[in-house]
Amino acid sequence: MQTAADADDAATLLAAVPAGRRVALVDPRFVGHVHALRLGLTDPRFAAATVPGALTAQPEARGALLRALRRTTAAVGAGAPVVAPDTDPAPDDPTVPGRIAAALEAEGTAVKRPELGSLTATVPTDAGARATAESARAEVDDEAVRLRSAVKAHDGFFTTFAISPYSRYIARWCARRGLTPNQVTTASLITALIAAGAAATGTRGGYVAAGILLLVSFVLDCTDGQLARYSLQYSTMGAWLDATFDRAKEYAYYAGLAIGAVRGGDDVWVLALGAMVLQACRHVVDFSFNEANHDAVANTSPTAALSDKLDSVGWTVWARRMIVLPIGERWAMIAVLTALTTPRIVFYALLIGCALAACYTTAGRLLRSLTRRASRTDRAAQALADLADSGPLAQGVAAVAPGLRGAFTAPAVALLGTLVMIGGALFLPYGSWLTVAAAAVYVLLSGLAVARPLKGALDWLVPPFFRAAEYVTILVLAARSDAPHAVPAAFGLISAVAYHHYDTVYRIRGGTGAPPQWLVRTIGGHEGRTALVAVLAAVLTHAAGFTTALTALAVAVALVVLVESIRFWVSSSAPAVHDEGELA
């Protein structure tokens, strides 16, 4: 920390700081809480941020900061007069940092002003104002505010009342020992994998241990986000790890339960895969709807107004959050049922609970979409096209036949294709070439569905329909085959494909766009993989051959998507984020 005598001196000192570092300007008369300064000066998500009397700039905003500083003629120092050029706008904060922040915004640089709530941050101009500010600072417990703000603002009932009251203190303990959110996230993953291993033993003791460890893993899962908010250690990598590890933990646990059940003489692999497919499809409904509507114009409807009205009544908020079976309630249910019952009952409960939750959320979103008057943006249409995951076959159809969709809407065409594909897999003789013909029809219809920009009121349904078609087709064909271990192989294949789809979502959310087209083409797109599995079921009449083919396909897809995903996220220049996200 250095003291500048005037604006020119400040500019000289700032210019001497290495280009890759953050810089900050703080008025020496500042009075306030340490956490107010922390919020204003250390959050990595924003290129520039300010609180009264303080301003910070990341490397990308330092050039604009120096230009604004050079236009400022105020002297810097205790008791120095504050003067600014007439060309600069009059800011709400008249201090030098405040005037520079206003000048930055006038130039087009976004400046974040964090909500301080009860925290004090001010620059008193006389002894009376300083005494008042110091009194206000003394009345508020800085650390208590910091702990409260570490907890996610909108969370599920179980997480809010059974986990967060103590996990925030674990987060503080971790912060004081220099642990990072990514380390806690990794510990949560390892704990969940150990829980899956315990479940795979197939013994009652193993199931009890698995349930306990799963809850411990969830506590750590809550702690990593609270640690990030407590210490403001947000990062692109952290957001990606937190999101993808949640899915990896849950689906690995499903596999562990299935292995344990088989050891006990009860094959529940179909139920395990069904639970994973249902949960993944629920997530894509959430993602697709949110991406389609988050920047829509006139994004209102009577249904949304009713939802807002219900949220104003305390008990309805918690009831509605529990109905959707968010991750806290879901994992608590899984843990308790694992310890007390059998894997089959766990999966029955999951399938029933997730199906009811899916019906509730999807019905509400359908009503909102049908009753709102909104214009979908080009960005939203592109996000839906990326989430559709159309490969070269569907893209080829879309390119040569953009006008063949006629009067049918995109979701209607996608739904028809989904019904044809799943119906063929379910009701045609297993291994029949008619199933391959159904796959060809699916390829044609999936291409027609995306032949035009997805800007219709219900076009957000297209990606969920495609996910259901691919996942359910693989599940049904594996379950109907006589191939030993075909369903576990299908579990691996769908896990690899689902990872790709989740990775697509998190890239779009991070503002970096979807995975590159070469990756989508290499792994075939949803229609290419679906058609390939149908062909494999028809060609490989030898039972073991189908399992081998599914396993090889799963390994190939996993290698390609994991290598590209890890390369991207490790080297990504995406802005630092921490996803508050849905309750999923």
Side-chain angles (χ1 to χ4, degrees):
M1 183 171 63
Q2 300 185 60
T3 301
D6 52 33
D8 288 339
D9 189 26
T12 301
L13 292 173
L14 290 176
V17 178
R21 294 185 183 177
R22 174 201 293 270
V23 294
L25 290 171
V26 181
D27 193 303
R29 298 165 295 171
F30 176 87
V31 175
H33 290 97
V34 174
H35 193 51
L37 275 181
R38 187 181 291 114
L39 290 171
L41 303 183
T42 65
D43 195 323
R45 295 174 294 177
F46 312 110
T50 186
V51 294
L55 170 70
T56 186
Q58 297 269 41
E60 59 267 31
R62 281 182 53 181
L65 171 64
L66 284 172
R67 288 191 297 272
L69 181 58
R70 290 191 178 104
R71 294 199 307 270
T72 302
T73 61
V76 179
V82 177
V83 183
D86 293 337
T87 55
D88 282 344
D92 293 333
D93 176 10
T95 64
V96 171
R99 289 182 177 276
I100 296 175
L104 283 172
E105 291 178 315
E107 186 180 303
T109 300
V111 179
K112 175 66 177 178
R113 289 175 169 80
E115 292 290 337
L116 299 182
S118 59
L119 295 174
T120 296
T122 186
V123 177
T125 56
D126 55 47
R130 173 170 289 274
T132 301
E134 290 175 347
S135 175
R137 180 178 61 185
E139 290 175 358
V140 176
D141 186 342
D142 179 81
E143 182 62 19
V145 172
R146 190 180 181 190
L147 276 172
R148 285 197 303 271
S149 62
V151 178
K152 187 186 294 186
H154 303 287
D155 224 329
F157 181 87
F158 178 77
T159 304
T160 298
F161 295 103
I163 305 296
S164 292
Y166 58 88
S167 61
R168 70 184 75 181
Y169 295 101
I170 301 175
R172 182 172 66 180
W173 183 90
C174 292
R176 291 177 174 177
R177 282 151 185 81
L179 298 176
T180 67
N182 290 354
Q183 290 171 333
V184 178
T185 301
T186 303
S188 176
L189 173 67
I190 293 171
T191 304
L193 294 179
I194 296 173
T201 63
T203 63
R204 177 52 51 196
Y207 290 148
V208 171
I212 294 171
L213 288 170
L214 188 63
L215 288 178
V216 172
S217 175
F218 183 66
V219 171
L220 293 174
D221 183 56
C222 295
T223 300
D224 64 0
Q226 291 166 357
L227 175 58
R229 286 182 286 272
Y230 181 86
S231 57
L232 299 178
Q233 296 184 71
Y234 304 115
S235 68
T236 301
M237 175 69 75
W240 171 66
L241 289 177
D242 186 46
T244 54
F245 280 10
D246 279 351
R247 306 287 81 81
K249 289 181 287 190
E250 185 166 3
Y251 298 156
Y253 192 82
Y254 291 177
L257 279 176
I259 293 171
V262 169
R263 288 188 170 182
D266 186 15
D267 190 343
V268 296
W269 271 108
V270 171
L271 295 178
L273 183 50
M276 184 175 76
V277 167
L278 180 55
Q279 189 60 24
C281 289
R282 279 187 63 200
H283 283 147
V284 79
V285 167
D286 295 339
F287 299 146
S288 187
F289 178 82
N290 291 336
E291 288 301 322
N293 293 288
H294 86 282
D295 60 352
V297 179
N299 195 10
T300 60
S301 73
T303 308
L306 175 61
S307 177
D308 293 339
K309 186 175 181 179
L310 288 174
D311 280 345
S312 66
V313 182
W315 69 268
T316 64
V317 175
W318 296 117
R320 294 171 69 216
R321 290 184 187 178
M322 293 173 69
I323 286 173
V324 301
L325 202 63
I327 188 169
E329 277 74 359
R330 191 167 68 249
W331 282 28
M333 180 185 74
I334 293 171
V336 171
L337 291 178
T338 298
L340 300 180
T341 64
T342 65
R344 180 172 290 273
I345 293 176
V346 173
F347 288 124
Y348 281 152
L350 264 176
L351 288 167
I352 294 171
C354 289
L356 292 174
C359 290
Y360 169 77
T361 55
T362 305
R365 285 165 180 172
L366 284 171
L367 287 173
R368 290 190 183 205
S369 299
L370 291 172
T371 56
R372 69 165 36 120
R373 296 293 181 266
S375 299
R376 189 135 299 144
T377 64
D378 291 337
R379 180 207 173 278
Q382 183 58 53
L384 291 180
D386 292 333
L387 290 173
D389 191 35
S390 299
L393 297 178
Q395 290 176 358
V397 172
V400 300
L404 294 183
R405 201 167 75 197
F408 295 100
T409 64
V413 176
L415 175 60
L416 179 59
T418 297
L419 294 176
V420 168
M421 189 67 255
I422 295 177
L426 273 172
F427 302 115
L428 292 173
Y430 174 77
S432 169
W433 284 96
L434 291 176
T435 306
V436 177
V441 173
Y442 174 66
V443 169
L444 175 64
L445 292 175
S446 63
L448 293 178
V450 296
R452 299 175 186 170
L454 298 176
K455 292 189 174 183
L458 297 178
D459 284 2
W460 57 270
L461 287 168
V462 171
F465 285 148
F466 288 164
R467 294 299 82 73
E470 179 179 5
Y471 296 169
V472 174
T473 296
I474 296 172
L475 165 61
V476 170
L477 291 178
R480 293 188 65 194
S481 73
D482 293 328
H485 310 302
V487 179
F491 191 99
L493 174 57
I494 293 177
S495 297
V497 174
Y499 177 86
H500 163 62
H501 291 143
Y502 283 118
D503 186 50
T504 301
V505 168
Y506 301 133
R507 292 197 197 201
I508 293 173
R509 281 185 169 183
T512 58
Q517 274 298 302
W518 70 260
L519 175 66
V520 177
R521 289 193 295 268
T522 299
I523 60 176
H526 69 92
E527 80 290 349
R529 291 185 298 269
T530 305
L532 177 58
V533 172
V535 170
L536 291 174
V539 171
L540 299 175
T541 55
H542 180 61
F546 187 54
T547 299
T548 302
L550 288 180
T551 303
L553 183 57
V555 171
V557 171
L559 283 176
V560 173
V561 300
L562 281 173
V563 169
E564 160 56 20
S565 177
I566 293 171
R567 181 210 63 78
F568 170 80
W569 288 105
V570 168
S571 62
S572 175
S573 59
V577 296
H578 186 80
D579 183 20
E580 293 294 322
E582 289 74 31
L583 302 177

